[in-house]
Coordinates of all heavy atoms in Angstrom, one line a residue:
M1303 N 43.8 36.6 -30.6 CA 44.8 36.8 -31.7 C 45.1 38.3 -31.8 O 44.1 39.0 -32.0 CB 44.3 36.2 -33.0 CG 45.2 36.4 -34.2 SD 44.6 35.8 -35.7 CE 45.0 34.1 -35.7
A1304 N 46.3 38.7 -31.8 CA 46.6 40.1 -31.9 C 46.6 40.5 -33.4 O 46.6 39.7 -34.3 CB 48.0 40.4 -31.3
Q1305 N 46.7 41.8 -33.6 CA 46.7 42.3 -35.0 C 47.9 41.7 -35.7 O 49.0 41.7 -35.2 CB 46.8 43.8 -34.9 CG 46.8 44.5 -36.3 CD 46.8 45.9 -36.2 OE1 46.7 46.5 -35.1 NE2 46.9 46.6 -37.3
M1306 N 47.7 41.3 -37.0 CA 48.7 40.7 -37.8 C 49.6 41.8 -38.4 O 49.1 42.8 -38.9 CB 48.1 39.8 -38.9 CG 47.4 38.7 -38.3 SD 46.8 37.6 -39.7 CE 47.5 36.1 -39.2
K1307 N 50.9 41.6 -38.4 CA 51.8 42.5 -39.1 C 51.9 42.1 -40.6 O 51.9 40.9 -40.9 CB 53.2 42.5 -38.4 CG 53.2 42.8 -37.0 CD 53.0 44.3 -36.7 CE 53.1 44.6 -35.3 NZ 52.4 45.8 -34.9
T1308 N 52.2 43.1 -41.4 CA 52.3 42.9 -42.8 C 53.5 41.9 -43.1 O 53.4 41.0 -44.0 CB 52.4 44.2 -43.6 OG1 51.4 45.0 -43.3 CG2 52.4 43.9 -45.1
A1309 N 54.6 42.1 -42.4 CA 55.7 41.3 -42.6 C 55.4 39.8 -42.3 O 55.9 38.9 -43.0 CB 56.9 41.8 -41.8
D1310 N 54.6 39.5 -41.3 CA 54.2 38.2 -40.9 C 53.4 37.6 -42.1 O 53.5 36.4 -42.4 CB 53.5 38.2 -39.6 CG 54.3 38.6 -38.5 OD1 55.6 38.6 -38.5 OD2 53.7 39.1 -37.5
I1311 N 52.5 38.4 -42.6 CA 51.6 37.9 -43.7 C 52.4 37.6 -44.9 O 52.2 36.6 -45.6 CB 50.5 39.0 -44.0 CG1 49.6 39.2 -42.7 CG2 49.7 38.5 -45.1 CD1 48.7 40.3 -42.8
R1312 N 53.4 38.5 -45.2 CA 54.2 38.2 -46.5 C 55.0 36.9 -46.3 O 55.4 36.3 -47.3 CB 55.1 39.4 -46.7 CG 54.4 40.6 -47.2 CD 55.3 41.7 -47.7 NE 54.7 42.9 -47.9 CZ 53.9 43.2 -49.0 NH1 53.7 42.3 -49.9 NH2 53.3 44.4 -49.1
A1313 N 55.3 36.5 -45.1 CA 56.1 35.3 -44.9 C 55.2 34.0 -45.1 O 55.8 32.9 -45.2 CB 56.7 35.3 -43.5
M1314 N 53.9 34.2 -45.1 CA 53.0 33.1 -45.3 C 52.9 32.6 -46.8 O 53.2 33.4 -47.7 CB 51.6 33.5 -44.9 CG 51.3 33.8 -43.5 SD 49.6 34.2 -43.3 CE 49.5 34.4 -41.5
S1315 N 52.6 31.3 -46.9 CA 52.4 30.8 -48.3 C 51.0 31.2 -48.7 O 50.1 31.5 -47.8 CB 52.5 29.3 -48.3 OG 51.5 28.7 -47.6
P1316 N 50.6 31.2 -49.9 CA 49.3 31.5 -50.3 C 48.2 30.6 -49.6 O 47.1 31.1 -49.3 CB 49.3 31.2 -51.8 CG 50.7 31.5 -52.2 CD 51.5 31.0 -51.1
D1317 N 48.5 29.3 -49.4 CA 47.6 28.5 -48.7 C 47.4 28.9 -47.3 O 46.3 28.8 -46.7 CB 48.0 27.0 -48.8 CG 47.9 26.4 -50.1 OD1 47.1 26.9 -50.9 OD2 48.6 25.4 -50.4
Q1318 N 48.5 29.3 -46.6 CA 48.4 29.7 -45.3 C 47.5 31.1 -45.2 O 46.8 31.2 -44.2 CB 49.7 30.0 -44.7 CG 50.5 28.8 -44.4 CD 52.0 29.0 -44.0 OE1 52.6 30.0 -44.5 NE2 52.5 28.3 -43.0
M1319 N 47.7 31.9 -46.2 CA 46.9 33.1 -46.2 C 45.4 32.8 -46.3 O 44.6 33.4 -45.7 CB 47.4 34.0 -47.4 CG 48.7 34.7 -47.2 SD 49.0 35.8 -48.6 CE 50.7 35.8 -48.6
D1320 N 45.1 31.9 -47.2 CA 43.7 31.5 -47.4 C 43.1 30.9 -46.1 O 42.0 31.2 -45.7 CB 43.6 30.5 -48.5 CG 43.9 31.0 -49.9 OD1 43.8 32.2 -50.0 OD2 44.1 30.2 -50.8
D1321 N 43.9 30.1 -45.4 CA 43.5 29.5 -44.1 C 43.3 30.6 -43.1 O 42.3 30.5 -42.3 CB 44.5 28.5 -43.6 CG 44.5 27.2 -44.5 OD1 43.6 27.0 -45.2 OD2 45.5 26.4 -44.4
A1322 N 44.2 31.5 -43.1 CA 44.1 32.6 -42.1 C 42.8 33.4 -42.3 O 42.1 33.8 -41.4 CB 45.3 33.5 -42.2
V1323 N 42.5 33.7 -43.6 CA 41.2 34.4 -43.9 C 40.0 33.7 -43.5 O 39.1 34.3 -42.9 CB 41.2 34.8 -45.4 CG1 39.8 35.3 -45.8 CG2 42.3 35.8 -45.8
V1324 N 40.0 32.4 -43.7 CA 38.8 31.5 -43.3 C 38.7 31.6 -41.8 O 37.6 31.7 -41.3 CB 39.0 30.1 -43.8 CG1 38.0 29.2 -43.2 CG2 38.9 30.1 -45.4
N1325 N 39.8 31.4 -41.1 CA 39.8 31.4 -39.6 C 39.3 32.8 -39.1 O 38.5 32.8 -38.2 CB 41.1 31.1 -39.0 CG 41.4 29.6 -39.2 OD1 40.6 28.8 -39.4 ND2 42.7 29.3 -39.2
L1326 N 39.8 33.9 -39.7 CA 39.3 35.2 -39.2 C 37.9 35.4 -39.6 O 37.2 36.1 -38.8 CB 40.2 36.3 -39.9 CG 41.6 36.4 -39.3 CD1 42.5 37.2 -40.3 CD2 41.5 37.1 -38.0
K1327 N 37.4 34.9 -40.7 CA 36.0 35.1 -41.0 C 35.1 34.3 -40.0 O 34.0 34.8 -39.6 CB 35.7 34.6 -42.4 CG 36.1 35.6 -43.4 CD 35.7 35.2 -44.9 CE 36.1 36.2 -45.9 NZ 35.6 35.9 -47.2
K1328 N 35.6 33.1 -39.6 CA 34.8 32.4 -38.6 C 34.8 33.1 -37.2 O 33.8 33.2 -36.5 CB 35.4 31.0 -38.4 CG 35.2 30.0 -39.5 CD 35.9 28.7 -39.2 CE 35.7 27.8 -40.4 NZ 36.4 26.5 -40.2
E1329 N 36.0 33.7 -36.9 CA 36.1 34.4 -35.6 C 35.2 35.6 -35.7 O 34.5 36.0 -34.7 CB 37.5 34.9 -35.4 CG 37.7 35.7 -34.1 CD 39.1 36.2 -33.9 OE1 40.0 36.0 -34.8 OE2 39.3 37.0 -33.0
R1330 N 35.2 36.3 -36.8 CA 34.3 37.5 -36.9 C 32.8 37.2 -36.8 O 32.0 37.9 -36.2 CB 34.6 38.2 -38.3 CG 34.0 39.6 -38.4 CD 34.6 40.2 -39.7 NE 33.5 41.1 -40.1 CZ 32.9 41.0 -41.3 NH1 33.2 40.1 -42.1 NH2 31.9 41.9 -41.6
F1331 N 32.5 36.1 -37.4 CA 31.1 35.6 -37.3 C 30.7 35.4 -35.8 O 29.7 35.8 -35.3 CB 30.9 34.3 -38.1 CG 29.5 33.7 -38.0 CD1 28.6 34.2 -38.8 CD2 29.3 32.6 -37.2 CE1 27.3 33.6 -38.8 CE2 28.1 32.1 -37.1 CZ 27.0 32.5 -37.9
N1332 N 31.6 34.6 -35.1 CA 31.4 34.4 -33.7 C 31.3 35.7 -32.9 O 30.5 35.9 -31.9 CB 32.4 33.5 -33.1 CG 32.3 32.0 -33.6 OD1 31.2 31.6 -34.0 ND2 33.4 31.4 -33.8
L1333 N 32.2 36.6 -33.2 CA 32.2 37.9 -32.5 C 30.9 38.7 -32.7 O 30.4 39.3 -31.8 CB 33.4 38.8 -32.9 CG 34.8 38.3 -32.5 CD1 35.9 39.0 -33.2 CD2 34.9 38.4 -31.0
R1334 N 30.4 38.6 -33.9 CA 29.1 39.3 -34.2 C 28.0 38.7 -33.4 O 27.1 39.5 -32.9 CB 28.8 39.2 -35.7 CG 29.6 40.1 -36.6 CD 29.2 40.4 -38.0 NE 28.3 39.4 -38.5 CZ 28.5 38.6 -39.6 NH1 29.7 38.7 -40.2 NH2 27.6 37.8 -40.0
F1335 N 27.9 37.4 -33.2 CA 26.9 36.8 -32.4 C 27.1 37.2 -31.0 O 26.1 37.4 -30.2 CB 26.9 35.3 -32.6 CG 26.0 34.8 -33.6 CD1 26.4 34.6 -34.9 CD2 24.7 34.5 -33.3 CE1 25.5 34.2 -35.9 CE2 23.7 34.1 -34.2 CZ 24.1 33.9 -35.5
Q1336 N 28.4 37.2 -30.5 CA 28.6 37.6 -29.1 C 28.1 39.1 -28.8 O 27.5 39.3 -27.8 CB 30.1 37.5 -28.8 CG 30.6 36.1 -28.6 CD 32.1 36.0 -28.3 OE1 32.6 37.0 -27.9 NE2 32.6 34.8 -28.6
R1337 N 28.4 39.9 -29.8 CA 27.9 41.3 -29.7 C 26.4 41.4 -29.6 O 25.8 42.1 -28.8 CB 28.5 42.1 -30.8 CG 28.1 43.6 -30.7 CD 28.6 44.5 -31.8 NE 28.0 44.0 -33.1 CZ 28.3 44.6 -34.3 NH1 29.2 45.5 -34.3 NH2 27.7 44.1 -35.3
A1338 N 25.7 40.6 -30.5 CA 24.3 40.6 -30.6 C 23.6 40.1 -29.3 O 22.6 40.6 -28.9 CB 23.8 39.8 -31.7
T1339 N 24.3 39.2 -28.6 CA 23.7 38.6 -27.4 C 24.3 39.3 -26.1 O 24.0 38.9 -25.1 CB 24.1 37.1 -27.3 OG1 25.5 36.9 -27.3 CG2 23.4 36.3 -28.4
G1340 N 25.1 40.3 -26.3 CA 25.6 41.1 -25.2 C 26.8 40.4 -24.5 O 27.1 40.8 -23.3
Q1341 N 27.4 39.4 -25.0 CA 28.5 38.7 -24.4 C 29.9 39.2 -24.8 O 30.9 38.8 -24.2 CB 28.4 37.2 -24.7 CG 27.1 36.6 -24.2 CD 27.0 35.1 -24.7 OE1 27.7 34.7 -25.5 NE2 26.0 34.4 -24.1
L1342 N 29.9 40.1 -25.8 CA 31.2 40.5 -26.3 C 31.9 41.5 -25.3 O 31.3 42.6 -25.0 CB 31.1 41.2 -27.7 CG 32.3 41.6 -28.4 CD1 33.3 40.4 -28.6 CD2 32.0 42.2 -29.7
E1343 N 33.1 41.2 -24.9 CA 33.8 42.1 -23.9 C 34.7 43.1 -24.7 O 34.8 44.2 -24.4 CB 34.5 41.3 -22.9 CG 33.6 40.6 -21.9 CD 34.4 39.8 -20.9 OE1 35.6 40.0 -20.8 OE2 33.8 38.8 -20.3
N1344 N 35.4 42.5 -25.7 CA 36.4 43.3 -26.4 C 35.9 43.7 -27.8 O 36.0 43.0 -28.7 CB 37.7 42.5 -26.5 CG 38.8 43.3 -27.2 OD1 38.7 44.5 -27.5 ND2 39.9 42.6 -27.5
T1345 N 35.1 44.8 -27.8 CA 34.4 45.2 -29.0 C 35.4 45.6 -30.1 O 35.1 45.5 -31.3 CB 33.5 46.4 -28.8 OG1 34.2 47.4 -28.1 CG2 32.4 45.9 -27.8
S1346 N 36.6 46.0 -29.8 CA 37.6 46.4 -30.8 C 38.1 45.3 -31.6 O 38.6 45.4 -32.7 CB 38.8 47.1 -30.2 OG 39.5 46.3 -29.4
R1347 N 37.9 44.0 -31.1 CA 38.4 42.9 -31.8 C 37.6 42.7 -33.2 O 38.2 42.2 -34.1 CB 38.2 41.6 -30.9 CG 38.8 40.4 -31.6 CD 40.3 40.5 -31.9 NE 40.7 39.4 -32.8 CZ 41.5 39.6 -33.8 NH1 41.9 40.8 -34.2 NH2 41.8 38.6 -34.6
L1348 N 36.3 43.1 -33.2 CA 35.6 43.0 -34.5 C 36.3 43.9 -35.5 O 36.5 43.4 -36.7 CB 34.2 43.6 -34.3 CG 33.1 42.6 -33.9 CD1 31.9 43.3 -33.4 CD2 32.8 41.7 -35.0
R1349 N 36.7 45.0 -35.2 CA 37.4 46.0 -36.2 C 38.7 45.4 -36.6 O 39.1 45.4 -37.7 CB 37.5 47.3 -35.5 CG 38.1 48.3 -36.4 CD 38.2 49.7 -35.7 NE 38.7 50.7 -36.6 CZ 38.9 52.0 -36.2 NH1 38.5 52.4 -35.0 NH2 39.3 52.8 -37.0
E1350 N 39.5 44.8 -35.6 CA 40.8 44.3 -35.9 C 40.6 43.1 -36.8 O 41.5 42.9 -37.7 CB 41.5 43.8 -34.6 CG 41.9 44.9 -33.7 CD 42.5 44.4 -32.4 OE1 42.7 43.2 -32.2 OE2 42.8 45.3 -31.5
A1351 N 39.7 42.2 -36.6 CA 39.5 41.0 -37.4 C 39.2 41.5 -38.8 O 39.7 40.9 -39.8 CB 38.4 40.2 -36.9
R1352 N 38.3 42.4 -39.0 CA 37.9 42.9 -40.3 C 39.1 43.5 -41.0 O 39.3 43.2 -42.2 CB 36.8 44.0 -40.2 CG 36.2 44.4 -41.5 CD 35.0 45.4 -41.3 NE 35.6 46.7 -40.8 CZ 35.2 47.3 -39.7 NH1 34.3 46.7 -38.9 NH2 35.7 48.4 -39.4
R1353 N 39.9 44.2 -40.4 CA 41.1 44.8 -41.0 C 42.2 43.8 -41.3 O 42.9 43.9 -42.3 CB 41.7 45.9 -40.1 CG 40.8 47.1 -40.1 CD 41.3 48.3 -39.3 NE 40.5 49.5 -39.5 CZ 40.8 50.7 -39.0 NH1 42.0 50.9 -38.5 NH2 40.0 51.7 -39.2
D1354 N 42.3 42.8 -40.4 CA 43.3 41.7 -40.7 C 42.9 40.9 -41.9 O 43.8 40.6 -42.8 CB 43.3 40.7 -39.5 CG 44.2 41.2 -38.3 OD1 44.9 42.2 -38.5 OD2 44.0 40.7 -37.2
I1355 N 41.6 40.7 -42.1 CA 41.1 40.1 -43.3 C 41.5 40.9 -44.5 O 42.0 40.4 -45.6 CB 39.6 39.8 -43.3 CG1 39.2 38.8 -42.2 CG2 39.1 39.4 -44.6 CD1 37.8 38.7 -41.9
A1356 N 41.2 42.2 -44.5 CA 41.6 43.0 -45.6 C 43.1 43.1 -45.9 O 43.5 43.1 -47.0 CB 41.0 44.5 -45.3
R1357 N 43.8 43.1 -44.8 CA 45.3 43.1 -44.9 C 45.8 41.9 -45.6 O 46.7 42.0 -46.5 CB 45.9 43.3 -43.5 CG 47.4 43.6 -43.5 CD 47.9 43.9 -42.1 NE 47.3 45.1 -41.6 CZ 46.5 45.2 -40.5 NH1 46.2 44.2 -39.9 NH2 46.1 46.4 -40.1
I1358 N 45.3 40.7 -45.2 CA 45.8 39.5 -45.8 C 45.4 39.4 -47.3 O 46.1 39.0 -48.2 CB 45.2 38.3 -45.1 CG1 45.8 38.2 -43.7 CG2 45.4 36.9 -45.8 CD1 45.2 37.2 -42.7
K1359 N 44.1 39.8 -47.6 CA 43.7 39.8 -49.0 C 44.5 40.7 -49.9 O 44.8 40.4 -51.0 CB 42.2 40.2 -49.1 CG 41.3 39.0 -48.6 CD 39.8 39.4 -48.8 CE 38.9 38.3 -48.5 NZ 37.5 38.6 -48.9
T1360 N 44.8 41.9 -49.3 CA 45.7 42.8 -50.1 C 47.0 42.2 -50.4 O 47.5 42.3 -51.6 CB 45.8 44.1 -49.3 OG1 44.5 44.7 -49.1 CG2 46.7 45.1 -50.1
V1361 N 47.7 41.7 -49.4 CA 49.0 41.1 -49.6 C 48.9 39.9 -50.6 O 49.8 39.7 -51.4 CB 49.7 40.6 -48.3 CG1 50.9 39.8 -48.5 CG2 49.9 41.8 -47.4
A1362 N 47.9 39.1 -50.4 CA 47.7 37.9 -51.4 C 47.5 38.4 -52.8 O 48.1 37.8 -53.7 CB 46.5 37.1 -50.9
A1363 N 46.8 39.5 -53.0 CA 46.6 40.0 -54.3 C 47.9 40.6 -54.9 O 48.2 40.4 -56.1 CB 45.6 41.1 -54.3
Q1364 N 48.7 41.2 -54.0 CA 50.1 41.6 -54.5 C 50.9 40.5 -54.9 O 51.7 40.6 -55.8 CB 50.7 42.5 -53.4 CG 50.0 43.8 -53.1 CD 50.6 44.5 -51.8 OE1 51.3 43.9 -51.1 NE2 50.1 45.7 -51.7
V1365 N 50.9 39.4 -54.1 CA 51.7 38.3 -54.4 C 51.3 37.7 -55.7 O 52.2 37.3 -56.6 CB 51.7 37.2 -53.3 CG1 52.3 35.9 -53.7 CG2 52.3 37.8 -52.0
R1366 N 50.0 37.5 -55.9 CA 49.5 37.0 -57.2 C 49.9 37.9 -58.4 O 50.2 37.4 -59.5 CB 48.0 36.8 -57.2 CG 47.6 35.6 -56.4 CD 46.1 35.2 -56.7 NE 45.2 36.3 -56.2 CZ 44.7 36.5 -55.0 NH1 45.0 35.6 -54.1 NH2 43.9 37.5 -54.7
A1367 N 49.9 39.2 -58.2 CA 50.2 40.1 -59.3 C 51.7 40.0 -59.6 O 52.0 40.1 -60.8 CB 49.8 41.5 -58.9
K1368 N 52.5 39.7 -58.7 CA 54.0 39.6 -58.9 C 54.3 38.3 -59.7 O 55.2 38.3 -60.5 CB 54.8 39.6 -57.7 CG 55.1 40.9 -57.0 CD 56.0 40.8 -55.9 CE 56.3 42.1 -55.3 NZ 57.2 42.0 -54.1
K1369 N 53.5 37.3 -59.5 CA 53.7 36.0 -60.2 C 53.4 36.1 -61.6 O 53.9 35.3 -62.4 CB 52.9 34.9 -59.5 CG 53.5 34.5 -58.1 CD 52.8 33.3 -57.5 CE 53.4 32.9 -56.2 NZ 52.8 31.8 -55.6
K1370 N 52.6 37.0 -62.0 CA 52.1 37.0 -63.5 C 53.2 37.7 -64.3 O 54.1 38.4 -64.0 CB 50.8 37.8 -63.6 CG 49.7 36.9 -63.1 CD 48.4 37.6 -63.3 CE 47.2 36.7 -62.9 NZ 46.0 37.2 -63.1

């Protein structure tokens, strides 16, 4: 999965954002295990996944703030 764009995230529904965060957390967990066992080839993906999670959470918080 490539890095997510903010415009793509804003087009998601809140449920889709939650699902994306869960999927990215699972991916990050698997990547951490691959790194620990020496099987991880693309080490930059760990950083990308972490930043994608933060990006989605930030946009979700902005959407929730607008609704109030």
Side-chain angles (χ1 to χ4, degrees):
M1303 176 186 276
Q1305 181 177 352
M1306 298 182 126
K1307 301 286 185 204
T1308 306
D1310 297 336
I1311 297 169
R1312 289 190 190 284
M1314 293 179 175
S1315 72
D1317 289 337
Q1318 288 174 320
M1319 288 184 207
D1320 293 340
D1321 290 342
V1323 169
V1324 169
N1325 289 336
L1326 283 166
K1327 284 185 176 184
K1328 287 179 185 177
E1329 179 185 359
R1330 193 169 150 246
F1331 178 81
N1332 291 330
L1333 290 170
R1334 286 194 340 244
F1335 265 90
Q1336 287 178 20
R1337 183 179 63 182
T1339 59
Q1341 297 175 348
L1342 184 61
E1343 293 179 15
N1344 184 4
T1345 56
S1346 66
R1347 185 61 193 131
L1348 269 167
R1349 183 178 183 181
E1350 288 176 9
R1352 189 176 70 240
R1353 288 184 175 190
D1354 283 344
I1355 291 168
R1357 192 174 291 116
I1358 293 170
K1359 285 185 171 185
T1360 300
V1361 171
Q1364 290 171 350
V1365 169
R1366 281 193 300 273
K1368 276 187 178 179
K1369 287 185 179 180
K1370 288 187 177 181

